[in-house]
Amino acid sequence: MGPDELTVGAHSYADFMTYFGSFSMKKWRLYTGDNDLVPTLVLETNAPVHVTLTQMVYRRLEKRTIMDVTDPTSLTPDGWFRYAIPYPADVDAQLVSFTVTTGDRPATLRAVCYGADVKHRRDVRIEIITTTFRKERQVQGNIDLIRTTLLEDPCWGEYFHLTVVDNGRSLPEDAAAGNPSITVIPNGNVGGAGGFAAGMIHAAEQKWATHVLLMDDDVTVCPESFKRTLRLLECASAEYESATVAGAMLSTANFELQQEDIGQIQAQRHLQPFKPRLIMDREYDITFNEELIPSSQEQGLYSAWWYSCFPVRRIHENGLPIPLFYRRDDVEYSTRIQEKEQLKFITLNGVCVWHDPFDLRWNPAVEIYLAARNLLIQEAFTPDPNDSMAADVARLRETIVNAGKHFDYPSMELVCDAITDYLRGPEYYRHPVGERLLKQAIEKAEKLRPISEIDGAPEVINMWRVEETANDENIPAPPTPHPDMRLSRRVARRLRRLVLGLPSSKASAKRENHPVAEHKPKGGLAIIPVDGLCRPWRVLYDADRALAVEPSGRRGVMRVRDDRKRDEIMARFEALADQLVHDDSVAHRYHEERDSMTSFAFWKQYLDEAKR
């Protein structure tokens, strides 16, 4: 739908049971505490239309007609037909919506909205904070969109300010276009955590905002999301007045795909979405999305900082982020708050941003080095009662073994570097070292090159075929032997390994006890995805080289099997792992320094040093 109007052709219809077009009645009743809340639909058209109110009930996945309206309520001063249609008071559904059907003439719709009588309106003013590093084009686009659709709109401007923390100090001087509601803060490159810390300090000290909304710089925003966030917080009940609004991340690669709204910490500190991925042009999925609400006993929930809105008072009560530079700062912050209280989260269809999917931009310096180092630092600063150092080490071992099986020895070294840098202790991170450490990791990580420049690579690579055949998880399991065959479990295991082309369990055990005595591969080239998420053990078993290719199939890197190098790096890892498990003095020092290293005084000195 355009910014102002939508035209529906003659003898046609427009169904608004969509991600943005429907009204999430169940959620609004939950968050406002008003079980009697029902909306009124308001729309104006330049020709008579037929309006059908509808509802969607998830458990039966039924779309029902509530009522039909053919006559407009009134005429506007400029002669448009105005429909103001209240939904019946007895409606009880996840979603309500409407369909507009035209007659002999096309009809243009404008001023479409839902309204409702609410029992109270809270005073809410939102400081939108985004931090950026040399992404001028995308950030300037978001600044201009927020300025024209919110800040310069008399209906909304008084409720929003925008703060842009420019870590690269590369935005033009006129980035704010002279709007007093936009603040640009030049900053040193202190990563996302440091940029958000600078913005949070600004918002807290200005004392104008009641809430801060933290938002990534590399996102595509929708003004409607900000408006819904404001209205939700204004109408929130006492139970939800301090809740965090967790905006969903939709994919720029597939605009209908919702990847996450609330995240959850899983066993061994794995992070994953609370909900499955949903396709938001399906009525089933947009309804299911509003049905999935965490229980009050749900553990390990957090709101990622691509779009997260919470009260400013939380900054005063809980401090600022820990100086992680990038990755897991948002996870740690939610975990820290939940040491004191169970967090409430608000999610809603239409509160979202569009973000590049993480699995299409594999970066070992981030996904291996920072993920491993920050996992340890986060857990040390803010221990999770459901976690342990032994569990963290098990996860890191899984990561490094996985990289070794991919012949990705630089990533194996990055895991060891991550542990080494963690063991430097909190004193080391009292100074802005994040940018330098990340550059070192980038330098050590593999460098992708065009496929045409790689010796031995085929001219064309079908990545769909690679993804299907290289991942063992896509290979069907061998047929289960018939009971009459009376095979022993040992024989059955051997049969399975023969079908999958895997080594015998005896050979596997021998290699684990004597890793240098690895079997000699027969030779050959395997083509696999470049990321560490795939499990291509079957195709790599007899290979001595692996061409690791990015999802586009255009760039990659040739890896050469080197069992001796793998074993040398594993020996380094095991020595570091032993230190992690048996010496907890470093972790204690991190935890003891947390209050100091999340204070306003610390961050002001840290940010000032970074600028120099």
Side-chain angles (χ1 to χ4, degrees):
M1 188 171 182
D4 300 309
E5 299 177 346
L6 171 70
T7 298
V8 182
H11 301 292
S12 187
Y13 72 95
D15 187 346
F16 285 82
M17 184 64 76
T18 65
Y19 184 61
F20 282 98
S22 56
F23 183 87
S24 302
M25 181 178 289
K26 181 176 180 178
K27 285 274 189 77
W28 277 95
R29 287 178 172 178
L30 172 67
Y31 298 143
T32 63
D34 184 356
N35 291 326
D36 298 323
L37 183 147
V38 290
T40 295
L41 170 67
V42 179
L43 61 90
E44 297 171 359
T45 68
N46 65 348
V49 295
H50 185 144
V51 181
T52 302
L53 301 187
T54 57
Q55 64 176 328
M56 198 83 180
V57 182
Y58 165 67
R59 287 187 175 86
R60 291 175 295 278
L61 197 60
E62 294 180 3
K63 184 176 180 179
R64 301 176 184 170
T65 297
I66 300 174
M67 61 184 293
D68 291 315
V69 176
T70 55
D71 297 324
T73 308
S74 60
L75 290 176
T76 65
D78 56 352
W80 283 54
F81 299 95
R82 190 171 191 273
Y83 297 78
I85 313 167
Y87 283 77
D90 59 351
V91 171
D92 182 18
Q94 270 73 25
L95 305 176
V96 296
S97 188
F98 63 100
T99 301
V100 173
T101 306
T102 59
D104 295 336
R105 289 190 294 157
T108 298
L109 281 63
R110 72 178 187 188
V112 182
C113 65
Y114 294 102
D117 292 328
V118 293
K119 297 175 181 178
H120 54 80
R121 288 274 294 275
R122 298 184 183 278
D123 175 29
V124 176
R125 285 158 278 124
I126 299 176
E127 187 83 43
I128 302 170
I129 301 171
T130 185
T131 179
T132 182
F133 180 73
R134 297 179 182 171
K135 294 180 181 175
E136 298 86 357
R137 183 176 179 181
Q138 192 159 9
V139 171
Q140 190 64 60
N142 286 339
I143 292 174
D144 292 341
L145 182 63
I146 292 171
R147 175 177 56 81
T148 56
T149 59
L150 288 180
L151 304 180
E152 295 178 355
D153 187 326
C155 296
W156 301 98
E158 63 181 296
Y159 303 106
F160 292 97
H161 280 185
L162 173 63
T163 294
V164 181
V165 182
D166 183 12
N167 283 351
R169 289 180 274 192
S170 57
L171 288 174
E173 293 183 1
D174 60 349
N179 192 304
S181 295
I182 301 175
T183 301
V184 177
I185 302 176
N187 207 36
N189 187 16
V190 287
F196 284 130
M200 293 159 78
I201 291 172
H202 172 77
E205 293 187 339
Q206 289 296 307
K207 299 181 180 180
W208 174 83
T210 62
H211 290 72
V212 291
L213 195 164
L214 307 186
M215 185 179 74
D216 274 352
D217 60 342
D218 54 347
V219 297
T220 300
V221 301
C222 176
E224 179 67 18
S225 298
F226 302 115
K227 297 174 183 178
R228 294 187 186 197
T229 298
L230 175 69
R231 291 292 183 247
L232 279 165
L233 294 172
E234 284 182 332
C235 301
S237 66
E239 181 181 3
Y240 280 92
E241 66 171 325
S242 299
T244 295
V245 179
M249 180 175 78
L250 276 69
S251 171
T252 55
N254 178 354
F255 263 50
E256 294 79 26
L257 176 63
Q258 178 177 295
Q259 302 188 102
E260 180 180 322
D261 53 14
I262 300 175
Q264 189 167 29
I265 307 169
Q266 299 295 315
Q268 293 187 10
R269 307 298 280 177
H270 285 288
L271 306 179
Q272 71 177 43
F274 173 72
K275 302 175 183 178
R277 290 185 174 185
L278 300 171
I279 306 299
M280 289 312 184
D281 61 356
R282 299 175 182 172
E283 292 179 345
Y284 175 93
D285 284 17
I286 65 171
T287 311
F288 186 48
N289 194 43
E290 301 301 62
E291 174 70 13
L292 286 176
I293 301 172
S295 70
S296 58
Q297 289 77 37
E298 204 77 46
Q299 298 294 314
L301 300 178
Y302 67 92
S303 170
W305 285 355
W306 54 65
Y307 189 110
S308 183
C309 184
F310 52 88
V312 171
R313 70 170 180 80
R314 290 208 182 280
I315 303 172
H316 296 288
E317 295 170 351
N318 300 282
L320 297 160
I322 57 176
L324 287 178
F325 191 77
Y326 181 60
R327 273 297 167 91
R328 285 186 175 259
D329 46 346
D330 45 8
V331 180
E332 186 278 334
Y333 201 73
S334 289
T335 306
R336 194 194 319 165
I337 293 172
Q338 291 181 85
E339 289 179 342
K340 301 177 182 177
E341 60 179 300
Q342 186 74 17
L343 269 178
K344 292 281 188 179
F345 294 92
I346 291 176
T347 63
L348 193 80
N349 283 345
V351 177
C352 65
V353 293
W354 281 264
H355 199 295
D356 291 343
F358 298 133
D359 51 1
L360 294 183
R361 53 177 192 177
W362 178 258
N363 181 349
V366 174
E367 307 300 337
I368 300 292
Y369 171 76
L370 281 186
R373 188 199 70 185
N374 290 2
L375 165 70
L376 295 170
I377 294 177
Q378 171 211 345
E379 177 59 24
F381 269 120
T382 307
D384 186 329
N386 300 315
D387 190 42
S388 67
M389 181 57 77
D392 291 340
V393 168
R395 178 179 175 184
L396 296 176
R397 183 177 286 108
E398 178 186 357
T399 300
I400 197 170
V401 169
N402 188 34
K405 288 181 177 180
H406 285 85
F407 313 158
D408 184 2
Y409 308 119
S411 289
M412 293 183 71
E413 292 182 346
L414 288 177
V415 176
C416 295
D417 291 348
I419 300 173
T420 300
D421 288 342
Y422 159 77
L423 291 171
R424 295 174 185 268
E427 304 82 7
Y428 184 70
Y429 295 98
R430 281 190 163 273
H431 305 280
V433 296
E435 182 180 23
R436 176 168 56 82
L437 293 177
L438 181 59
K439 285 181 177 179
Q440 290 175 359
I442 291 172
E443 185 63 29
K444 180 170 287 189
E446 293 178 325
K447 306 297 185 294
L448 301 185
R449 299 163 51 202
I451 295 297
S452 60
E453 298 178 5
I454 300 176
D455 292 338
E459 293 182 4
V460 178
I461 297 176
N462 184 335
M463 284 306 295
W464 180 86
R465 182 67 176 164
V466 169
E467 293 280 0
E468 282 294 305
T469 59
N471 195 344
D472 286 359
E473 295 176 355
N474 295 330
I475 305 300
T480 303
H482 193 277
D484 290 345
M485 296 177 67
R486 303 184 184 280
L487 293 176
S488 69
R489 290 185 178 181
R490 180 179 297 176
V491 175
R493 284 198 299 269
R494 287 180 179 174
L495 176 62
R496 171 177 169 77
R497 290 181 175 275
L498 284 171
V499 173
L500 289 178
L502 299 174
S504 68
S505 57
K506 184 181 294 185
S508 299
K510 184 177 180 181
R511 285 200 309 276
E512 289 176 3
N513 295 326
H514 306 282
V516 177
E518 184 74 42
H519 86 289
K520 298 299 182 183
K522 298 176 183 177
L525 173 67
I527 301 178
I528 61 175
V530 73
D531 63 66
L533 307 177
C534 180
R535 298 180 179 273
W537 316 146
R538 181 180 51 84
V539 300
L540 288 174
Y541 176 63
D542 284 328
D544 60 4
R545 294 179 302 153
L547 178 61
V549 187
E550 68 176 2
S552 69
R554 297 175 181 174
R555 297 191 308 154
V557 62
M558 186 68 75
R559 299 171 179 168
V560 179
R561 185 177 199 139
D562 188 338
D563 292 345
R564 185 173 297 277
K565 183 172 186 178
R566 178 205 63 195
D567 295 336
E568 289 173 354
I569 301 173
M570 280 303 303
R572 179 191 172 196
F573 170 82
E574 293 300 343
L576 290 168
D578 185 71
Q579 185 176 352
L580 287 176
V581 172
H582 294 103
D583 182 3
D584 59 1
S585 62
V586 176
H588 283 308
R589 296 209 314 272
Y590 276 107
H591 187 60
E592 290 171 356
E593 291 293 319
R594 187 183 70 182
D595 289 347
S596 170
M597 294 178 69
T598 57
S599 67
F600 279 54
F602 165 81
W603 271 106
K604 286 182 178 180
Q605 180 178 348
Y606 186 97
L607 295 171
D608 185 61
E609 183 179 345
K611 289 178 183 177
R612 299 196 300 267

